[in-house]
Amino acid sequence: MELNLPNNVIVLDHPLIQHKVGILRDKTTSTKVFRELVSEISMLMGYEATRDLAVVDAEVETPIAHAKIKQLAGTKLALVPILRAGLGMVDGMLAIVPSARVGHIGMFRDHDTLLPIDYYCKLPEDIDQRDVFLLDPMVATGGSIISAIKSMQERGAVNIKLLCIIAAREGITKITEAYPDVKIYCAAFDEELDENAYIVPGLGDAGDRIFGTK
Ligand code: PRP
Ligand code: URA
């Protein structure tokens, strides 16, 4: 099916990712399994989202002979989860980029206005020199991500990629209009939001499901 998405949006439709997202959507999935899967999906997404990291040529001696190898060029990375739900994506990403620094942005949606309220922002001091992976499993209206990108840019961040597990069209459209240079990697794409701006079919409230608060 043709999704007709902007060019900056990459839907990671690998079978392993699709299978795991299906289990996340199931309302009978336990908190423990949900948390584990968010972490695994984040690692798989991170694998794709780091595909363009720079490498340099190097040489080593194997036990047998001389070998020409590739090494990461040492691009500085930062992971920035949006609290709370983004925290669930940090460990999976750190499993593949263990030297990344981690910043945090605290934000929640006001239940009545549906607008993001930010309450915390602590980023690595040298965020302007780092490739930033912004982490939040859910993009619904896009308000939280737009506010997070604005906060990060005000603090110097220039190279930002967004990793989200489920993205809705409304959010993707708004983010792309505001920040066309930000690449958006998602594991699944859903068309609709309900009257409370929850993603349909989505997976419910990601923060509550990761932390077992409901
Ligand atoms: C969720 C989610 C995003 C936001 C998406 O967080 O993790 O941050 O909603 O909605 P939007 O695209 O319409 O802005 P929530 O506000 O539920 O906070 P929580 O993670 O603390 O539960
Ligand atoms: N936040 C969530 O956690 N889920 C949604 O469906 C929308 C926003």
Side-chain angles (χ1 to χ4, degrees):
M1 192 180 63
E2 184 57 59
L3 293 178
N4 201 13
L5 293 170
N7 290 336
N8 59 317
V9 179
I10 297 146
V11 182
L12 298 172
D13 55 0
H14 189 288
L16 289 175
I17 294 181
Q18 287 185 341
H19 180 81
K20 290 172 195 287
V21 171
I23 302 173
L24 284 189
R25 288 188 191 275
D26 184 342
K27 68 178 182 186
T28 68
T29 297
S30 69
T31 301
K32 172 181 178 288
V33 171
F34 191 93
R35 198 182 286 148
E36 287 166 358
L37 287 171
V38 165
S39 193
E40 287 171 21
I41 291 167
S42 305
M43 185 174 70
L44 294 168
M45 293 182 74
Y47 175 77
E48 278 300 329
T50 50
R51 183 173 282 284
D52 57 0
L53 279 182
V55 289
V56 291
D57 293 323
E59 298 185 15
V60 293
E61 296 299 324
T62 79
I64 310 296
H66 195 74
K68 295 187 176 184
I69 61 161
K70 301 281 183 195
Q71 289 179 337
L72 288 170
T75 312
K76 292 178 172 181
L77 306 178
L79 310 180
V80 181
I82 299 183
L83 308 180
R84 290 175 298 167
L87 285 177
M89 300 179 72
V90 173
D91 285 352
M93 283 292 290
L94 281 177
I96 54 170
V97 288
S99 304
R101 301 295 168 89
V102 183
H104 294 88
I105 293 182
M107 200 169 278
F108 66 90
R109 286 199 319 186
D110 180 276
H111 283 292
D112 297 321
T113 65
L114 301 177
L115 295 174
I117 313 279
D118 37 315
Y119 58 88
Y120 188 73
C121 184
K122 183 80 179 175
L123 302 178
E125 270 180 6
D126 57 354
I127 194 75
D128 56 321
Q129 295 161 41
R130 293 183 178 268
D131 285 6
V132 179
F133 296 90
L134 179 60
L135 309 177
D136 193 325
M138 306 303 276
V139 172
T141 66
S144 304
I145 295 298
I146 288 176
S147 180
I149 294 174
K150 186 164 174 281
S151 290
M152 291 196 299
Q153 288 189 338
E154 282 168 1
R155 289 164 176 82
V158 280
N159 193 355
I160 301 169
K161 289 178 177 171
L162 166 64
L163 270 64
C164 55
I165 296 182
I166 301 189
R169 185 174 297 278
E170 179 176 325
I172 277 183
T173 304
K174 277 203 215 144
I175 297 164
T176 303
E177 278 168 14
Y179 299 108
D181 295 338
V182 171
K183 260 195 184 174
I184 302 173
Y185 295 84
C186 59
F189 169 78
D190 285 358
E191 282 287 351
E192 285 178 47
L193 300 181
D194 70 9
E195 62 283 5
N196 298 313
Y198 272 84
I199 302 174
V200 182
L203 50 71
D205 187 305
D208 282 338
R209 294 199 66 193
I210 291 170
F211 295 106
T213 38
K214 235 182 209 166

